[in-house]
Structure formats: structure tokens, C-alpha cells
Amino acid sequence: MNNKDLKEFFYPKSIAIIGASKDLTSISGKPLNNLLQTNFKGDIYPVNPRYDEIEGLKCYDSILKIPGKVDLALIAVSASRLVSIMSECIKKDVHNILLFSSGFAEVGEDGKGIQDKVAKMALENNIRIIGPNSVGCINVKDSVPMGFATSMESSKGYKHGNIGLVSQSGALGFSVFGMAQEKDLGFTYVVNTGNEMGVTTLDTMEFMLEDEDTLVIGAYMEGIPDGMQLIKIAKSAKELKKPLIILKSGKSAIGKEAALSHTASLAGSEETFQVIAKQYGIITVKDIDEMIDVMQIVSRRKWTNGSKIATVSNSGAAGIAMADSCEEFDLKLEPLQGETKKKIEAIIPSYGSALNPIDVTAQALKEQHIITDTVEALAKDKNTDVIIIQTTFGGELGEQICRKLVEIDKKETKPIIVTVTGTKELTGKGRDVLRKAGVPVYKTTYDTMLAVKHLVNVSEYYNEKKTILSSLTANDNSLLIQEYSTHIWTEEKSKKLLKQLGINIPENVMIQSVEEIDQHVKGLCFPLVAKVVSKDILHKTDAGGVKLGIQNIQEAKQSFHEILESSKNFKLDAHVDGVLFEEMLNKNGVEMFIGIKNDSQFGSLLVCGLGGIFIEVLKDISIRHIPIDKEAAESMVKELKGYPMLLGTRGQKRSDIESFTDALVKVSDFVHQQNGTLREMDINPVVVLNQGEGIMALDGLIVWDEMAFPTSVLN
């Protein structure tokens, strides 16, 4: 399906309503009533063998009896009748269907069977289906309601604007639409995708991205139909500067699949979604109120150049509240300086404050120019990115101030945000003036500052010019070690790969029999560490499979025997490849880890954090979708709670952070060019030595997708 197909869906010239009812208050009667009430300019064909006519329109026994072409069929019949109805739609050459019917996959196997059969019929005949279990859609631009949602029944019509909204839930989606309309927010399309038999939320978002009138896209999602499609949409949205706002439910704390490595157990599905959202500039909200608040501020399309906030209020307490919120949301509230401060000191009473927050005092009740002149001065201030005004003024004075703020907002590119507190009776008229002009206005300090934080975040994302590219060519498998024997690479094989990637590892040798120790181990520098190598024993310490501080050949032989014995006792049927002897690290450093998780929806994720034995206890981690560049690697490390340890604390030297971030990029590049065949990777610990000394990977595990290996290799 391409987006041109969906344009045909939302701009029908003829609509058939199959299962239409004479009861215009019923589910099957409302779609017809809504089309009549909005004066749909195309042809409407009710279909129901029980009636000859409905509301003066000829009613047909079957869609096959309709004389003209049918662009869109609205179907309100039981699930059991749908297969036969679909057959008739196919014969009539209908390519767009909106299914109101319920009783499909959501009710069990029988319903799922019907849904699967209908979906197959649609696919084979190039039919686009929205639903089932949908309450409908609206083409707001042309006032074409296609459904029975309560919000479609507005006697005032629909406010057209620049917001597109798609929701898996009909009740929630059209609640957002109705509430937003009350706040004078205008829309282009509102779509409820329901069970998503065909068209998904993401398909609809792609269509809206290409629509020149849709400049903001909101979505309610219970699941992500296709993770990579969402990333593609987010990248396109950045290029077009069309904010994506997603309210997602169905959160789960952790994925259920068994994980062999530490890393794979750290990133749950909801956490992964939030990582993707942050990395690709998607605005995530917690409820419908926050969604509407964000729609209001971003639909104005006045982006910020930074996070420096100037606040103006007629109340000292309000100024303090805004200052507290700035700190909470990491917004900068800096004292005014220079000419701007002098101008404002001359405007406000001497007992006010021109610092920031700016307190214009209650004197503004008598002299309304105090607020507006102050705002105009801030609009010219190069050190102010966002202006926030908080006022409690009501009545005619409040309305006059709001009208003046609208005039200022029209001529300024800098975002101006207003908080008007008080009852609707006292302050409602002023608030309405702002809303009708598109000036973002809120009732509380918290709501205001939260919306501003979202605006600042998305503006910063749009201001980034870089595009992340991998330095390796896709499908370049030159780094792959071809000595496959299993899809699980234990420490010995993993370290060979790390060495090829340019990541330092200790000098080591693999020993399979005690007779090899005299010849091969003596070339290493004592003291040594010995570790069991077995795909069946991944946590070696628990199995007694690690020996430290080996000082000579005799101790090496003794360690070899003890490790094999302990491993056998730990797991009788474990296949042991041998014992890895390697030089012990004689330098101090900070233990970190680097890991890979292959997410079923979004592909490969890079994870880093404090390593060693603390990885699962502290869970101090940072995650990014692959590929990343050096700048992203640096941001990963800086957001860790343990970052100060790398900078050096209590007299310790600074760690070689650059070498660690280089390793993150190397791993990212390698994994990216494997096209999803690498399932897990765990490099733990990676000791980050003092600055200039590099890093050392002391252990490693790699798990490949079994499907990527020939059967003959695995056997």
C-alpha cells in the first residue's frame, strides 16, 4: 500500500453504507446522519434489504445493485456476515473499506479466523481496510465524517487546522479530538484504526507526513506495528519539521524471552520505546491532557533557539513557582543583563523585580502597558529563547492585555506562552482571545512548563544538522570469523573478534589438555587468570570456572584440573572446549560494559554502563538504537550516573573516556553491518584505564541468530 491509496480513502466521491439503519441514533444510523448533517457533496448509497429508502435516499438490497461507482464502503454488519459482504465488495470493485463491525480477533479464535480470512481477501484484491472495531474517521479539511463517534455530531462543525490524529482506540482518539476542538485546535484528519486488519497507525502517520496541510501528528498506540517503519517516519518527520506526539499504553517492565547475556535482560519493551523516541525526536506524553497541551504549543510552529526562559508575572509567588519548574524540567532561568534589564527596570515599579523571574507587581492592574512593554523588551533580548507570562487578571483588563499579547505574538518569531489562572467566569474571555489567535495558553504553571520543555526538546532536535551514518558498508562481512561451530560464541572466540575490531584484550592462549600447558602457557607473563570455555557455562564464577593469581606453570596445571572438575560438578553434561589462560591486568581502571540487544521491533540496540559484578545490581545503563556516531557515544557515557567516576573522583586520575567511546562506535558499526543476525553481545567488564592508556576487554559473549547459520554448521 502506498500513501496515494489512503488519499483515495479520505477523499471519496461516493460512499456506500452497508447495514444502514433508519434509526439515526444507532451505530448503523449515525454514519448516514453525520454525512447528511455536514452536507456531504458526493453520492450516498444506503444498503439494507429491509428498507426501500432512508431519509429520502434510495436504499439498495446489495452493494451490487448500486448503479454508480463506490469509492468507499462503510460496513456495519455482524462479523459472521462479513465474508459474504467482502465478496460483493470485490465484485463491485470497491478498494476502500471502513469496518465498524466487532467480534473479530479481540473475542477469540473464531473471530480471529474470520479476521484472517477477510484480511487475505483484501490483500489479494488490493483493498484498503481501516478497522474492524473502528468508530470511524474524519476528513476534517472537507468536513467528511465517516463513522459514528460522538465527536462527529458537533452542530458547530469541525475546526480545520494543521494537526493530524490517529488512534488505535476510538473512544480515546475522538475524546482527544473533541477536547482539543474546545481549545480551538484545528485538525486535518482524525482516524481510528481499531484492530488494524489492514491500515495501521503507522501507515496513517506516513500518509499524514506527506499531506502538505498536516504539520503536527498525534497518535495513541497500544503497540508498535513495525519498529523500523516508526523510525523511518520519525526521520522523515525531522526533515519536514513535523512533530510526532505519541501516547503509548500497553507498557511492560521486561521482555519475556530468555536472555543468555546480561545486556539482553536490561532493556524492556517500554524502555526500548522510550529510547527510540528520545533518539529520533518523538514526543512521548503520559495522558490525553498532556497530548493536547503539546499539540497546542507545537502546532504554533515557533521553534526555540535554546532553553533560556524569561518569565513575567504579577505575582511573586507565581514567579517562584515558575523558577522551581524551570529547575525541575532543566530549563535555564538566567538573570537579565545589560540593556534589557535597564529597559525593564524603567517599565516596572521600583518595588518590582527585573531579575528573572520578573515581577511587574499588581500595579499592572492600573497600567496594563507594564506587562506588554516588558514582553516587547524581552522579545528583542538575544539572551531569551522563550517568554512565559503568568497573569491572574480577569474581566475587561485581562481581555485587553491578552489582545495586546496577541498583537506582539503576531509580529515576533520568538515563542510567547501564557498562563492565565483563575475561573472561567473571570478569565475565560482573555483565554479565548489567546486560543483563537493560536497563542499557547495554559491554566497552571506546571502544565505550562511541561509544554515548554517538550517544545525546547523538539526544537533542539530539529536544530541538529548531523545525520548518523555507519562507517562500514552494509553486508561487508570481512570482519566475521568464519570458524563457526555454534551460534554461541564464548569468550575465546568473542575476543578474537574484539581484537579484529581494534579493541584491546589481554594476551591469552586456549588450552585443551594439560600437556599443552608447558609449551603454550610459558609464553605468557605471570600472574595469569584461567577461565573455563563452554557455551553451557556462561556465568563462569558460579561454576567455579575461574582461577586468579596463577604464578607459575605448576599452579597453571593445578588450576586446569580444578576448573574441569568444578565445571563437571556444576553441570554434568556441559561441553567444555578448554581453559583460557590469559595475563592478569596489572593496572587500575573503571569497570564498564558494552552490550548489544536485538529488539524484535526495533532491531539492534547498543547498551553501556558500569560493569563488572554491579551491572545487574545498579542497572546504571544508557541505550541507543544502532548505528551511532562519536557524538552519540559521548552522550551515552555522559548520561550515566557513574560518569563522575570516569572523570576522576577523590584524587583519582581521569579515565580514557575517548577510547571507550571509540569502542562503542566500533561495536555499533560492526553490528549494524550484520543486518540483524547478531542477537546478543556482552563485553563485561571493559576496564577503562587512565587517560592515554586505553581500555581492556576482559570477557565477552556473542549470540548469533541461529537462522543465520547453515544447518551443517550447527550440527
Side-chain angles (χ1 to χ4, degrees):
M1 182 186 70
N2 58 50
N3 293 333
K4 180 177 178 295
D5 296 331
L6 275 181
K7 188 164 186 178
E8 294 172 357
F9 196 110
F10 291 111
Y11 291 86
K13 294 178 181 177
S14 56
I15 300 176
I17 306 173
I18 302 175
S21 171
K22 277 195 170 185
D23 180 0
L24 300 185
T25 64
S26 68
I27 288 176
S28 52
K30 283 185 176 184
L32 174 59
N33 188 55
N34 290 334
L35 287 169
L36 293 173
Q37 291 298 316
T38 53
N39 299 311
F40 176 62
K41 296 179 177 59
D43 297 318
I44 305 174
Y45 301 115
V47 178
N48 193 326
R50 295 169 57 190
Y51 309 116
D52 293 326
E53 62 84 28
I54 301 178
E55 294 296 305
L57 296 173
K58 179 176 172 56
C59 193
Y60 296 88
D61 292 348
S62 161
I63 193 171
L64 295 175
K65 300 286 185 67
I66 294 173
K69 185 178 184 298
V70 175
D71 293 330
L72 172 66
L74 310 182
I75 301 179
V77 301
S78 64
S80 60
R81 294 180 55 201
L82 188 56
V83 173
S84 63
I85 295 294
M86 278 292 294
S87 298
E88 292 183 352
C89 287
I90 291 168
K91 290 178 183 177
K92 186 63 179 174
D93 200 30
V94 177
H95 290 280
N96 301 292
I97 290 176
L98 180 51
L99 281 178
F100 305 139
S101 315
S102 58
F104 295 93
E106 75 276 9
V107 300
E109 286 303 313
D110 291 343
K112 185 177 184 302
I114 297 172
Q115 182 168 315
D116 291 344
K117 187 169 184 178
V118 171
K120 185 173 184 243
M121 294 170 74
L123 184 64
E124 291 173 347
N125 292 278
N126 193 30
I127 296 175
R128 290 157 294 281
I129 293 180
I130 290 183
N133 229 353
S134 171
V135 301
C137 315
I138 308 178
N139 170 354
V140 184
K141 290 198 284 186
D142 291 350
S143 293
V144 181
M146 298 165 275
F148 60 89
T150 303
S151 299
M152 295 180 183
E153 301 170 28
S154 173
S155 59
K156 299 178 182 178
Y158 316 126
K159 183 174 174 59
H160 171 225
N162 63 11
I163 302 170
L165 176 65
V166 57
S167 173
Q168 283 182 266
S169 162
L172 187 143
F174 278 96
S175 293
V176 171
F177 171 64
M179 292 167 64
Q181 293 270 285
E182 285 185 346
K183 293 189 176 182
D184 282 298
L185 293 180
F187 289 75
T188 52
Y189 308 94
V190 183
V191 182
N192 169 217
T193 53
N195 285 25
E196 301 194 351
M197 179 189 292
V199 177
T200 68
T201 47
L202 298 180
D203 295 331
T204 310
M205 290 165 76
E206 281 194 344
F207 162 71
M208 291 176 179
L209 272 180
E210 293 191 8
D211 180 72
E212 62 182 14
D213 294 324
T214 304
L215 303 179
V216 177
I217 300 171
Y220 167 75
M221 308 176 78
E222 292 166 0
I224 308 299
D226 184 328
M228 297 311 294
Q229 185 182 7
L230 176 60
I231 290 172
K232 175 189 170 188
I233 289 168
K235 288 179 177 179
S236 297
K238 178 182 181 180
E239 295 298 316
L240 297 168
K241 288 192 175 181
K242 294 188 177 185
L244 302 180
I245 309 165
I246 295 181
L247 170 59
K248 183 179 176 294
S249 64
K251 300 172 182 174
S252 62
I254 200 71
K256 293 182 180 179
E257 66 174 333
L260 297 178
S261 70
H262 295 282
T263 306
S265 67
L266 290 174
S269 59
E270 175 59 20
E271 183 178 23
T272 300
F273 169 72
Q274 293 297 335
V275 166
I276 295 297
K278 179 180 178 181
Q279 187 170 343
Y280 292 104
I282 299 169
I283 300 170
T284 60
V285 294
K286 295 180 180 178
D287 56 34
I288 60 178
D289 288 324
E290 186 179 354
M291 173 176 270
I292 294 169
D293 286 347
V294 177
M295 285 176 171
Q296 184 181 173
I297 201 167
V298 298
S299 63
R300 187 64 170 159
R301 297 184 63 76
K302 287 190 175 185
W303 314 120
T304 74
N305 292 318
S307 58
K308 294 178 181 177
I309 311 298
T311 70
V312 182
S313 73
N314 60 286
S315 162
I320 294 170
M322 285 190 280
D324 290 345
S325 293
C326 279
E327 183 173 328
E328 178 181 353
F329 293 119
D330 196 26
L331 299 168
K332 297 175 183 175
L333 195 69
E334 298 180 354
L336 297 181
Q337 298 176 351
E339 287 300 315
T340 302
K341 184 180 179 184
K342 289 179 182 178
K343 285 181 184 178
I344 293 175
E345 284 177 336
I347 295 169
I348 67 176
S350 59
Y351 48 88
S353 172
L355 293 175
N356 195 19
I358 301 165
D359 182 3
V360 298
T361 77
Q363 186 65 24
L365 278 167
K366 294 182 178 180
E367 303 175 63
Q368 69 175 51
H369 71 88
I370 292 177
I371 287 182
T372 53
D373 288 354
T374 300
V375 172
E376 287 187 321
L378 291 172
K380 302 295 186 288
D381 182 43
K382 294 181 180 179
N383 204 43
T384 297
D385 299 312
V386 183
I387 303 169
I388 300 175
I389 303 104
Q390 179 154 329
T391 173
T392 58
F393 295 161
E396 185 177 342
L397 171 64
E399 187 177 348
Q400 288 174 356
I401 290 174
C402 289
R403 290 190 187 282
K404 182 62 177 177
L405 290 175
V406 167
E407 291 177 16
I408 299 172
D409 178 75
K410 284 180 180 177
K411 64 184 180 181
E412 298 294 341
T413 57
K414 191 173 293 183
I416 295 175
I417 319 298
V418 186
T419 309
V420 180
T421 57
T423 64
K424 184 176 181 180
E425 179 183 358
L426 295 177
T427 62
K429 288 184 178 180
R431 198 177 289 121
D432 288 343
V433 166
L434 295 167
R435 282 176 177 162
K436 290 183 186 305
V439 179
V441 56
Y442 303 95
K443 290 184 178 180
T444 70
T445 298
Y446 182 87
D447 290 344
T448 302
M449 304 309 279
L450 179 57
V452 169
K453 177 59 175 174
H454 283 303
L455 177 66
V456 168
N457 284 349
V458 77
S459 298
E460 287 179 351
Y461 184 71
Y462 290 157
N463 290 335
E464 291 178 359
K465 301 299 182 186
K466 66 187 180 71
T467 300
I468 298 174
L469 297 173
S470 173
S471 61
L472 294 179
T473 304
N475 297 316
D476 173 14
N477 291 312
S478 59
L479 288 174
L480 276 174
I481 300 171
Q482 298 300 326
E483 300 171 1
Y484 297 133
S485 59
T486 175
H487 71 290
I488 300 175
W489 286 13
T490 51
E491 179 179 354
E492 182 248 353
K493 189 166 289 186
S494 297
K495 281 184 171 176
K496 286 182 182 179
L497 173 60
L498 296 178
K499 189 173 182 179
Q500 284 188 283
L501 292 176
I503 297 173
N504 292 332
I505 61 171
E507 291 295 324
N508 62 61
V509 62
M510 177 77 159
I511 299 298
Q512 294 178 313
S513 67
V514 72
E515 290 78 18
E516 296 176 1
I517 293 178
D518 284 317
Q519 179 181 355
H520 297 295
V521 173
K522 65 181 180 181
L524 301 177
C525 295
F526 291 93
L528 305 178
V529 58
K531 294 178 273 189
V532 65
V533 178
S534 169
K535 67 180 180 62
D536 299 317
I537 304 175
L538 301 180
H539 300 297
K540 298 180 279 289
T541 304
D542 295 344
V546 179
K547 297 292 181 181
L548 304 174
I550 299 169
Q551 299 294 337
N552 50 53
I553 293 293
Q554 186 57 40
E555 288 185 15
K557 291 180 179 179
Q558 181 180 347
S559 296
F560 182 86
H561 287 301
E562 290 177 356
I563 285 175
L564 292 185
E565 184 67 23
S566 295
S567 299
K568 182 179 179 181
N569 291 336
F570 180 77
K571 192 171 185 180
L572 187 62
D573 59 346
H575 175 78
V576 176
D577 296 322
V579 176
L580 187 70
F581 286 87
E582 67 180 20
E583 297 175 358
M584 289 188 68
L585 184 63
N586 59 6
K587 295 180 178 180
N588 294 324
V590 178
E591 290 192 351
M592 304 290 289
F593 82 94
I594 300 173
I596 297 296
K597 171 185 169 65
N598 193 276
D599 184 84
S600 60
Q601 287 186 314
F602 296 105
S604 298
L605 303 172
L606 179 69
V607 189
C608 76
L610 288 177
I613 63 174
F614 299 110
I615 178 173
E616 290 182 339
V617 177
L618 300 179
K619 289 185 170 66
D620 181 18
I621 63 173
S622 179
I623 309 174
R624 293 292 186 280
H625 186 254
I626 285 175
I628 67 163
D629 60 8
K630 187 64 182 292
E631 185 178 340
E634 290 170 353
S635 71
M636 289 182 73
V637 176
K638 287 178 181 178
E639 71 187 27
L640 294 170
K641 294 187 179 88
Y643 178 61
M645 295 175 62
L646 294 169
L647 294 175
T649 56
R650 294 184 177 271
Q652 297 295 314
K653 292 183 179 180
R654 189 181 192 276
S655 300
D656 201 333
I657 299 171
E658 184 171 337
S659 291
F660 184 68
T661 55
D662 282 342
L664 289 173
V665 176
K666 288 173 182 176
V667 171
S668 166
D669 284 344
F670 172 72
V671 174
H672 180 56
Q673 54 94 25
Q674 301 310 314
N675 295 320
T677 57
L678 195 150
R679 202 174 89 202
E680 298 174 27
M681 178 185 283
D682 202 23
I683 312 171
N684 179 41
V686 179
V687 179
V688 185
L689 304 172
N690 292 338
Q691 189 163 13
E693 296 180 352
I695 63 174
M696 188 72 70
L698 301 187
D699 203 349
L701 170 71
I702 297 175
V703 182
W704 297 87
D705 189 333
E706 292 184 58
M707 300 301 293
F709 290 79
T711 304
S712 59
V713 168
L714 295 176
N715 292 334

